[in-house]
């Protein structure tokens, strides 16, 4: 069978038609079995997809689809990488799809692409256009409905995140790990009467009920009474056997039409390795303390910079030590038959089973909590791409760190389960001007060293050392994020909170903000405590210039860039900063991570009709509080493990009231456009207060100071607002310390 020429990239060069051989077909069948969007389909549906698929090789850096367009094909990545990004002159990569990744679901869902898509290296994909999917549906009725159900998971993530948060088995797990676990789940639908599994079958999946009811019958001896359990929304079933054995000891049948999220064994095992809270839950659920044995964290370092790999790998234990943890060692690895200059190298067999045993034995002998693996063997990238490393990564590697001088070069092997690759971009001073791509969550080190010379942690600038300490907390899953909610003048309370956290020595690794929260976040991220001081000093100026904000923002923009922030671009700030706005034309939140800081700030603060909206790349952005007033979710997506939320909008019954004691003042208030404008603002802030409360539930702790004596327009009273909330902070900071200490200790259970 020979492929026709594809039009996946709009007729540009880069996609070539190739014969589809048995190897490609086998690869497609294998990936269909593991992809969250396709796995657990019936054999009839799989066969129909195999017959209708188009398989093609796409060259590196080929554009496949654009943001805002409707995809003409559903794509499944078989080998290689596809980046999902925003922007053109500067590509802001938000997601990476590798083996099993699916994009282009709009061909079925009739939705626009949220991102643009391009290959980052030569990539093998399978795809289906509408005609192919219709042919497959004729061959295998019900396939279309199955795919629609599975692809709809993206639009329902908030609903599923809440379910997962309240499920006893998962509720104390890191919100970041729960978020990543959701990306690996498959949404399934079982008609009433369907047997989901039977006793004696392999126990490789557990389920979270989304809707409907399931009856579980436990296998018991004939002389005992049959044990029957009915399971409803929010409950997990099938997990007991998965956690303790390899075979089902019960059967499960759908009592009514049922939706359930399926969780694969490999993801459960990855969560067990990564999360102490989950291990505790496993003990409570299974009664087996052996299931909760604390594993060692193995960190794989891949170096693609001109600096020696050993010195690059040594930055990690140095950063851990600087952050207060010295229980870290480094270990060089090489192929079993490789020639090495030293004997102090762990030889890794090519047989996966033996390789795991050799690695486990070495890790136990060394005994450290964290073990950093690196290799200097010639052709290291080719060796790491061999099948033995697939097994090691799936079963032992906790995290991967990729040091590179070019973010366009993708990580050479598949991402570890539940743990995205940590990109560390190493650049020389001044080379930032040549940057054409940035990756969400990456760290940039500006190194003034000669290629080939060692990178020494103690010789790095303070900003680089701080960034590497953040990397250490990322690897130990102890990253702290602060979410600052919107709230007009009430938002000056955020200033007091950030200063108190800073003075208490609580690490702040990233900060997200909406509306006034975005302004405070940028001030702190750019200039630290000096930025917070400037925020308060400029309160009266902000109050004055806001009066003409419906006409022009220029005076405010000049004030911010001259006196409030020291960095022109978000990506250059010492602290990752995430202003949140709303694309009002598409009705969805947008988190800014890169680009002009002042533009992101004013996009986030553009209250409709009161401040001129921000327009970028044709999108019209307004105040982020409309959709995400306390942006905890932005921090979860960015990788914050421990989140402190600040919701400063007081409930309506505690807001300062305007009393109209005479009939004349009542009439004037009813007629006054200003009075009606205030009513509109109060209505919006009421909605933002309630939404903020819901959004903050995913945080570990929330600060909600009493702000009733101030109004939303009291920016000129910034200093008094800060002074007013100071007495409430000492007990709150003590609670933060206690909860964070317990969080870190629980991680090591």
């Amino acid at each position: 069978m020979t492929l026709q020429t594809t039009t996946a990239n709009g007729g540009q060069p880069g996609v070539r038609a190739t014969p589809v051989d048995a190897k490609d077909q086998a690869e497609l069948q294998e990936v269909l079995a593991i992809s969250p969007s396709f796995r657990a389909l019936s054999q009839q549906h799989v066969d129909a997809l195999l017959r209708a698929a188009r398989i093609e090789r796409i060259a590196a850096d080929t554009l496949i689809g654009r943001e805002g367009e409707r995809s003409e094909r559903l794509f499944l990545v078989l080998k290689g990488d596809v980046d999902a990004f925003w922007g053109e002159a500067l590509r802001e990569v938000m997601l990476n799809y590798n083996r099993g990744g699916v994009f282009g679901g709009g061909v079925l869902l009739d939705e626009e692409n949220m991102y643009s898509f391009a290959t980052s290296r030569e990539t093998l994909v399978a795809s289906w256009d509408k005609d192919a999917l219709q042919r497959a549906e004729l061959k295998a009725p019900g396939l279309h409905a199955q795919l629609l159900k599975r692809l709809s998971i993206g639009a329902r993530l908030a609903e599923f995140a809440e379910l997962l948060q309240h499920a006893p088995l998962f509720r104390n797990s890191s919100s970041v790990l729960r978020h990543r676990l959701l990306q690996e789940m498959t949404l399934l639908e079982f008609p009433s009467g369907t047997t989901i599994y039977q006793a004696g079958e392999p126990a490789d999946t557990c389920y979270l009920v989304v809707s409907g009811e399931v009856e579980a019958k436990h296998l018991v001896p004939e002389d005992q009474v049959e044990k029957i359990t009915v399971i409803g929304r929010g409950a997990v079933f099938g997990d007991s056997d998965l956690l303790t054995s390899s075979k089902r000891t019960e059967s499960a049948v759908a009592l009514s039409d049922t939706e359930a999220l399926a969780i694969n064994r490999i993801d459960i095992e990855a969560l067990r390795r990564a999360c102490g809270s989950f291990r505790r839950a496993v003990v409570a659920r299974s009664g087996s303390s052996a299931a909760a044995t604390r594993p060692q964290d193995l960190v794989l370092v891949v170096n693609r910079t001109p600096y020696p790999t050993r010195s690059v790998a040594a930055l990690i234990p140095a950063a851990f030590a600087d952050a207060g943890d010295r229980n870290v060692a480094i270990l060089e690895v090489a192929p079993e038959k490789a020639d090495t200059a030293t004997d102090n190298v762990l030889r890794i067999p090519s047989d996966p089973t033996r390789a795991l045993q050799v690695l486990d034995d070495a890790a136990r002998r060394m005994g450290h909590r964290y073990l950093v693996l690196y290799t200097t063997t010639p052709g290291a990238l080719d060796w790491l791409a061999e099948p033995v490393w697939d097994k090691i990564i799936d079963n032992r590697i906790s995290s991967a760190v990729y040091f590179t001088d070019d973010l366009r070069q993708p990580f050479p092997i598949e991402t570890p389960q539940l743990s995205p690759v940590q990109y560390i971009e190493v650049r020389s001073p001044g080379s930032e001007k040549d940057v054409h791509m940035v990756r969400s969550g990456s760290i940039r080190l500006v190194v003034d060293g000669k290629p080939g010379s060692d990178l020494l942690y103690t010789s790095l600038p303070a900003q680089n050392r701080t960034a590497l300490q953040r990397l250490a907390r990322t690897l130990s899953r102890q990253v702290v994020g602060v979410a600052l909610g919107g709230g007009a003048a009430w938002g000056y309370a955020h200033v007091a909170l950030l200063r108190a956290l800073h003075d208490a020595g609580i690490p702040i690794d990233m900060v997200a903000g909406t509306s006034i929260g975005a302004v405070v976040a940028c001030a702190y991220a750019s200039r630290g405590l000096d930025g917070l001081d400037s925020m308060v000093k400029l309160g009266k100026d902000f109050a004055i210039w806001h009066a003409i904000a419906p006409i022009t923002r220029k005076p405010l923009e000049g004030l911010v860039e001259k006196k409030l922030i020291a960095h022109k671009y978000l990506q250059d700030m010492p602290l990752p900063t995430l202003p949140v706005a709303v694309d009002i034309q598409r009705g969805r939140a947008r988190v800014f991570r890169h680009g002009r800081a002042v533009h992101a700030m004013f996009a986030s603060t553009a209250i409709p009709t009161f401040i001129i909206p921000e327009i970028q790349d044709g999108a019209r952005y307004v105040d982020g509080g409309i959709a995400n007033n306390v942006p905890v979710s932005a921090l979860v997506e960015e990788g914050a493990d421990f989140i402190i939320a600040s919701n400063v909008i007081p409930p309506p019954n505690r807001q300062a009231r305007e009393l109209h004691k005479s009939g004349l003042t009542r009439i004037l208030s009813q007629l006054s456009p200003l009075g009606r404008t205030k009513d509109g603002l109060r209505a919006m802030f009421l909605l933002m207060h309630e939404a903020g409360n819901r959004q903050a539930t995913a945080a570990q702790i929330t600060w909600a100071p009493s702000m009733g004596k101030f109004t939303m327009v009291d920016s000129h009273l910034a200093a008094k607002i800060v002074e007013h909330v100071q007495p409430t902070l000492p007990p709150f900071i003590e609670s933060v310390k206690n909860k964070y200490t317990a969080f870190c200790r629980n991680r090591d259970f």
Side-chain angles (χ1 to χ4, degrees):
M1 178 170 64
T2 303
L3 295 174
Q4 300 175 355
T5 303
T6 180
T7 58
N9 67 335
Q12 299 177 28
V15 184
R16 65 175 186 268
T18 58
V20 179
D21 55 22
K23 185 178 179 180
D24 288 338
Q25 283 286 331
E27 181 72 19
L28 172 55
Q29 185 155 3
E30 184 177 334
V31 175
L32 286 171
I34 65 169
S35 170
S37 297
F38 291 98
R39 66 185 172 208
L41 286 171
S42 70
Q43 190 59 51
Q44 183 187 21
H45 289 156
V46 169
D47 290 342
L49 287 169
L50 287 170
R51 286 193 294 268
R54 169 182 287 179
I55 300 177
E56 51 211 350
R57 297 187 185 276
I58 306 179
D61 201 28
T62 300
L63 186 67
I64 301 175
R66 291 185 182 276
E67 177 191 0
E69 294 180 348
R70 294 187 184 275
S71 178
E72 295 181 357
R73 306 185 71 82
L74 177 67
F75 289 91
L76 172 64
V77 180
L78 306 182
K79 291 180 182 178
D81 291 88
V82 174
D83 287 332
F85 63 92
W86 280 318
E88 293 188 10
L90 176 71
R91 286 188 180 182
E92 183 180 351
V93 178
M94 306 304 301
L95 298 168
N96 174 263
Y97 297 96
N98 52 29
R99 192 168 187 253
V102 172
F103 61 98
V107 69
L108 281 170
L109 300 172
D110 196 28
E111 296 174 350
E112 296 178 348
N113 291 332
M114 184 176 291
Y115 305 107
S116 296
F117 302 98
T119 54
S120 54
R121 56 179 162 182
E122 184 176 85
T123 300
L124 182 70
V125 301
S127 65
W128 300 264
D129 60 16
K130 281 189 175 181
D131 290 341
L133 290 170
Q134 287 174 358
R135 291 197 303 273
E137 174 69 17
L138 291 174
K139 295 286 185 181
L143 174 61
H144 188 268
Q146 282 279 355
L147 293 178
L148 279 177
K149 177 65 65 176
R150 291 150 184 266
L151 294 172
S152 71
I153 193 170
R156 301 174 64 184
L157 280 179
E159 174 195 354
F160 299 151
E162 186 174 356
L163 274 179
L164 203 61
Q165 182 180 352
H166 291 96
L169 188 61
F170 301 103
R171 64 184 170 204
N172 291 320
S173 301
S174 161
S175 53
V176 172
L177 291 173
R178 289 200 306 268
H179 173 75
R180 292 173 184 162
L181 185 63
L182 274 172
Q183 316 304 312
E184 302 296 326
M185 291 182 175
T186 303
L187 181 60
L188 301 176
E189 190 168 43
F190 300 104
S192 178
T194 301
T195 298
I196 299 172
Y197 56 77
Q198 292 182 324
E201 293 180 351
D204 54 9
T205 306
C206 64
Y207 302 86
L208 173 66
V209 178
V210 176
S211 64
E213 289 186 332
V214 173
E215 180 184 78
K217 292 183 179 180
H218 297 261
L219 188 65
V220 297
E222 292 183 2
D223 59 342
Q224 294 184 16
V225 178
E226 190 174 47
K227 183 180 177 182
I228 298 176
T229 305
V230 177
I231 301 155
R233 178 175 169 82
V236 176
F237 68 98
D239 56 305
S240 297
D241 292 330
L242 186 149
L243 294 169
T244 59
S245 66
S246 60
K247 297 288 186 181
R248 299 286 187 195
T249 60
E250 63 181 14
S251 60
V253 177
L255 290 179
S256 60
D257 291 346
T258 298
E259 280 186 318
L261 288 162
I263 312 168
N264 194 271
R265 174 184 287 275
I266 193 171
D267 300 313
I268 289 292
E269 292 299 335
L271 184 60
R272 178 152 47 185
R273 291 199 305 271
C275 185
S277 295
F278 183 70
R279 291 193 291 274
R280 286 183 185 273
V282 167
V283 170
R285 184 82 165 178
S286 66
S288 171
S289 58
T293 303
R294 186 186 75 179
Q296 291 174 287
D297 276 0
L298 273 57
V299 180
L300 176 64
V301 171
V302 177
N303 179 35
R304 214 167 191 167
T305 74
Y307 300 97
T309 299
R310 180 176 176 81
S311 73
V312 167
L315 293 174
I316 295 178
F320 267 95
D322 210 5
D325 190 343
R326 297 182 179 276
N327 197 5
V328 186
I330 61 175
L331 175 64
E332 183 176 354
V333 295
E336 190 173 38
K337 298 181 180 179
D339 291 329
T340 60
T342 175
D343 292 331
N344 193 24
V345 176
L346 183 67
R347 311 281 182 154
I348 303 293
S350 58
D351 176 70
T353 302
R354 286 185 56 226
L356 289 176
Q357 186 62 53
V358 167
L359 193 55
D360 287 345
D361 290 344
R364 278 194 296 270
R365 285 195 304 271
M366 298 185 75
H368 289 77
R369 178 69 179 83
Y370 300 93
L371 184 58
V372 178
L373 306 178
Y374 72 96
T375 183
T376 59
T377 189
L381 297 181
D382 291 334
W383 178 50
L384 292 172
E386 289 185 4
V388 63
W389 280 98
D390 289 339
K391 189 76 170 180
I392 292 173
I393 286 171
D394 282 346
N395 293 278
R396 294 295 185 272
I397 297 299
S398 303
S399 304
V401 182
Y402 185 34
F403 288 85
T404 178
D405 57 359
D406 186 356
L407 288 179
R408 292 172 297 182
Q409 296 292 333
F411 191 66
I413 48 182
E414 285 186 45
T415 304
Q417 295 291 326
L418 303 188
S419 183
V421 176
Q422 301 298 316
Y423 279 79
I424 312 295
E425 183 185 19
V426 181
R427 287 191 162 269
S428 57
S431 65
E432 297 93 332
K433 297 176 183 178
D434 301 326
V435 171
H436 301 292
M437 175 187 287
V438 290
R439 287 185 181 272
S440 175
S442 63
I443 292 174
R444 179 181 296 167
L445 303 181
V446 180
V447 176
D448 189 8
K450 294 181 180 179
S453 62
D454 285 342
L455 288 184
L456 300 177
Y457 182 83
T458 53
S459 300
L460 295 175
Q463 184 170 326
N464 284 352
R465 296 198 301 274
T466 300
L468 287 170
Q469 290 173 37
R470 187 167 69 248
L471 171 65
R473 283 189 289 274
T474 299
L475 297 177
S476 60
R477 298 184 179 88
Q478 296 172 2
V479 171
V480 179
V482 182
L484 305 178
W490 297 306
Y492 285 96
H494 298 318
V495 171
L497 173 63
L498 289 175
R499 180 177 286 277
L501 292 170
H502 182 279
D503 292 345
I506 296 167
I508 300 177
D509 295 304
M510 58 183 69
V511 58
T514 294
S515 198
I516 183 69
V519 180
V520 177
C522 288
Y524 178 69
S526 180
R527 295 177 54 217
L529 298 183
D530 289 341
L532 298 181
D533 291 339
S534 296
M535 187 78 198
V536 176
K537 291 175 183 176
L538 293 172
K540 292 181 180 178
D541 297 280
F542 283 138
I544 293 170
W545 291 115
H546 268 127
I548 63 169
I551 303 171
T552 178
R553 285 189 339 225
K554 289 298 182 183
L556 275 171
E557 290 183 8
L559 188 68
V560 166
E561 291 200 306
K562 185 177 180 181
K563 296 187 176 182
L564 190 63
I565 58 175
H567 297 82
K568 188 173 182 179
Y569 296 100
L570 288 173
Q571 63 265 30
D572 293 334
M573 290 185 177
L575 188 67
T577 314
L578 311 170
V580 178
V582 169
D583 180 342
I584 196 63
Q585 293 164 309
R586 295 181 183 173
R588 69 187 187 203
R590 162 77 189 271
V591 180
F592 290 88
R593 295 168 174 85
H594 305 91
R596 282 283 296 274
V598 70
H599 291 170
M601 292 162 68
F602 281 100
S604 184
T605 58
I607 301 174
T609 75
F610 294 97
I611 297 179
I612 289 177
E614 174 69 23
I615 298 177
Q616 291 187 30
D617 297 326
R620 189 179 182 90
Y621 293 106
V622 300
D623 195 297
I626 295 172
N628 197 355
N629 193 52
V630 182
V632 172
S633 60
L635 294 171
V636 170
E637 291 170 5
E638 198 68 11
D641 301 284
F642 185 89
I643 298 174
I644 303 162
S646 180
N647 187 13
V648 295
I649 299 177
N653 62 328
R654 296 185 184 176
Q655 293 184 22
R657 296 179 62 193
E658 298 175 11
L659 299 178
H660 308 296
K661 296 182 179 179
S662 70
L664 178 60
T665 59
R666 283 199 301 272
I667 294 171
L668 290 175
S669 178
Q670 289 173 325
L671 296 176
S672 167
L674 179 60
R676 293 198 294 272
T677 296
K678 287 183 177 179
D679 289 341
L681 281 172
R682 287 191 188 100
M684 188 176 78
F685 282 122
L686 169 60
L687 295 173
M688 290 166 64
H689 168 78
E690 297 302 323
N693 283 339
R694 292 193 302 273
Q695 291 150 4
T697 58
Q700 275 69 27
I701 189 168
T702 299
W703 188 51
S706 175
M707 303 294 293
K709 67 179 293 185
F710 299 99
T711 71
M712 68 192 81
V713 295
D714 283 343
S715 293
H716 60 293
L717 300 177
K720 290 186 178 296
I721 291 172
V722 171
E723 181 182 353
H724 170 74
V725 300
Q726 291 285 5
T728 69
L729 280 167
F732 178 76
I733 295 299
E734 192 63 27
S735 294
V736 173
K737 285 182 177 179
N738 292 337
K739 288 198 172 188
Y740 185 56
T741 300
F743 180 86
C744 295
R745 186 168 54 243
N746 194 49
R747 159 79 177 93
D748 283 334
F749 175 77

